[in-house]
Amino acid sequence: MRTLLITGPGGAGRTTLAAATALAAARAGTRTLVLSADPQDTLGAALGTPTGPRPRAVTDGLTALRPAPDDSFRDDLLALQDHAGAALDLLGADRLDGEELTPLPGAEELALLRALRDAAQGAHGPYDTLVVDLPAAPRALALLALPEQLRRYLRRLLPPQRQAARALRPVLGRLAGVPVPAASLYENAARWDDRLAAARSLLDAPGTSVRLVVEPGPAAVDAVARTALGLALHGLRLDGLVANRVLPDGGDSPWLAALRAQQHKALAEWDAAHPTHRLPHLGQDPRGLDDLAALGPAAPGPAPAPLDWPVTDALAEESLLIWTVPLPGAVRDDLDLVRRGDELVLTAGPFRRIVSLPSALRRCTVSGAGLRDGCLRVRFTPDPDLWPRSR
């Protein structure tokens, strides 16, 4: 399945472009599903058809879905309360009733993750193309990083290997005098791990990429550079930019000429770094299928090649292994890395990611790093106490 994740700075028109891109994909002959988590139903306003938690046919080949955070949040919290019931009773906690629960901040993102997982597993039906209207870029990056982060937290808090001690739990509970986590808690954690793995597998799939919708200007140039860096750090592929609301040439107004010059400067910079598709300013907010078709967005084409973080063997020449991490636009002073056991904590500007080291590098020590041509090269020296000795 071809999956296109659409984000960009707030107010750039990303929801409208998500709807227009999904329509273009459907009219190109692919069965297309468009998802959005915006509670205000801006997707429905753009399509001219209200959307909700049930798949809604918009036109031939195009279906829209807007997951409801209320239901999924309530179900998940009540399930967690049931599994932790023994500990809550010990603490004297009052149980929550489903009718008093309202979504907390972030519930929309979790509902969207669940919808992504369901789409990857075909729960909504067979589709060839999935177009996802993500939140604005900073929240979108946090959302896309969430499955990997939550899986790591789950495995640290409830390691799967501890399930082997299931037979000892009653004995341990009597000895300690406190309830020991029941098997159902570990089983629920395993189910969550499977769900998060499914969401992450969709993000890592060969057919998945991210497209940025931006309105040309100085602030947008900085936003694109920052977002591209965050996407690269998290291993997500950027397949291009959509420059929205590009002003037409002509006109004698000085302020309009100055604004057009700013747009041209931003477009020239983006053309040098990314595939950039220009969309004209229509003089109005597009509403309905005819307006969306008039925008003329590019339908999702083939996804770019997967990002590669190769390990280079330089043992013969320099007694080193080199791990190359592409970080376009990174600044040396904003980079940091820390080795923690078998993991590497990478920080690039405002973004941070904890990644597991490839098996060969776990037997090495970090001996240095350097940034060149948009790539961070981390040097590893084999640890003589761990590295196999040649005879």
Side-chain angles (χ1 to χ4, degrees):
M1 181 169 62
R2 178 70 171 98
T3 301
L4 187 62
L5 309 172
I6 294 183
T7 185
R14 64 184 186 282
T15 301
T16 300
L17 263 297
T21 303
L23 178 63
R27 291 187 171 177
T30 67
R31 296 168 296 182
T32 304
L33 175 66
V34 57
L35 291 176
S36 176
D38 189 345
Q40 304 303 318
D41 197 16
T42 51
L43 176 64
L47 291 169
T49 302
T51 64
R54 296 181 181 276
R56 178 77 176 259
V58 178
T59 187
D60 290 344
L62 178 59
T63 303
L65 179 67
R66 185 170 54 89
D70 300 45
D71 296 338
S72 59
F73 175 80
R74 183 182 301 109
D75 294 343
D76 291 341
L77 190 55
L78 291 176
L80 177 62
Q81 179 176 255
D82 290 340
H83 287 299
L88 293 174
D89 292 340
L90 178 69
L91 296 172
D94 291 331
R95 298 295 184 93
L96 295 170
D97 186 82
E99 294 181 355
E100 65 180 298
L101 297 177
T102 56
L104 296 175
E108 291 90 356
E109 285 85 349
L110 291 175
L112 186 58
L113 277 179
R114 181 189 291 243
L116 282 175
R117 179 209 69 197
D118 291 344
Q121 296 175 343
H124 302 303
Y127 293 101
D128 308 306
T129 303
L130 174 63
V131 178
V132 184
D133 171 32
L134 292 175
R139 288 176 61 195
L141 285 167
L143 168 67
L144 297 175
L146 196 57
E148 182 180 71
Q149 292 174 342
L150 288 181
R151 290 192 75 197
R152 182 176 180 274
Y153 297 157
L154 274 176
R155 291 173 178 271
R156 290 288 299 273
L157 294 172
L158 295 169
Q161 60 268 27
R162 290 188 182 176
Q163 296 189 52
R166 184 178 303 172
L168 297 177
R169 287 197 186 96
V171 177
L172 293 174
R174 287 193 295 271
L175 290 175
V178 297
V180 176
S184 59
L185 182 60
Y186 287 91
E187 292 165 359
N188 196 49
R191 283 193 293 271
W192 265 101
D193 186 72
D194 289 343
R195 294 171 183 173
L196 292 168
R200 183 66 209 191
S201 67
L202 177 67
L203 301 179
D204 291 335
T208 298
S209 62
V210 180
R211 185 172 293 177
L212 298 184
V213 176
V214 288
E215 186 170 352
V221 170
D222 294 337
V224 166
R226 186 167 54 250
T227 304
L229 175 60
L231 291 172
L233 180 64
H234 289 290
L236 300 164
R237 288 165 288 162
L238 176 61
D239 75 2
L241 310 182
V242 176
N244 194 24
R245 304 177 186 136
V246 176
L247 296 173
D249 292 331
D252 300 326
S253 171
W255 71 266
L256 192 60
L259 184 57
R260 189 183 301 114
Q262 285 188 341
Q263 287 196 343
H264 287 173
K265 182 178 180 180
L267 289 168
E269 186 169 334
W270 291 336
D271 285 337
H274 309 283
T276 304
H277 185 68
R278 293 164 168 77
L279 296 182
H281 200 306
L282 298 183
Q284 62 179 9
D285 289 334
R287 288 292 183 269
L289 301 185
D290 291 341
D291 283 356
L292 296 179
L295 278 173
L307 291 177
D308 191 20
W309 291 22
V311 177
T312 304
D313 185 343
L315 292 173
E317 302 84 8
E318 304 177 72
S319 299
L320 292 174
L321 293 173
I322 301 173
W323 198 16
T324 302
V325 181
L327 294 176
V331 177
R332 189 185 309 274
D333 292 342
D334 293 337
L335 287 176
D336 188 31
L337 60 91
V338 178
R339 169 79 178 268
R340 295 185 56 173
D342 290 339
E343 296 176 325
L344 198 66
V345 183
L346 285 170
T347 301
F351 309 107
R352 191 173 80 143
R353 185 185 182 191
I354 301 175
V355 292
S356 296
L357 292 172
S359 57
L361 301 184
R362 296 176 186 177
R363 303 191 298 271
C364 302
T365 58
V366 177
S367 56
L371 180 67
R372 187 176 64 188
D373 300 329
C375 288
L376 176 66
R377 293 172 174 83
V378 188
R379 300 185 293 275
F380 290 82
T381 302
D383 187 334
D385 295 329
L386 299 175
W387 197 263
R389 294 176 173 81
S390 59
R391 297 185 178 180

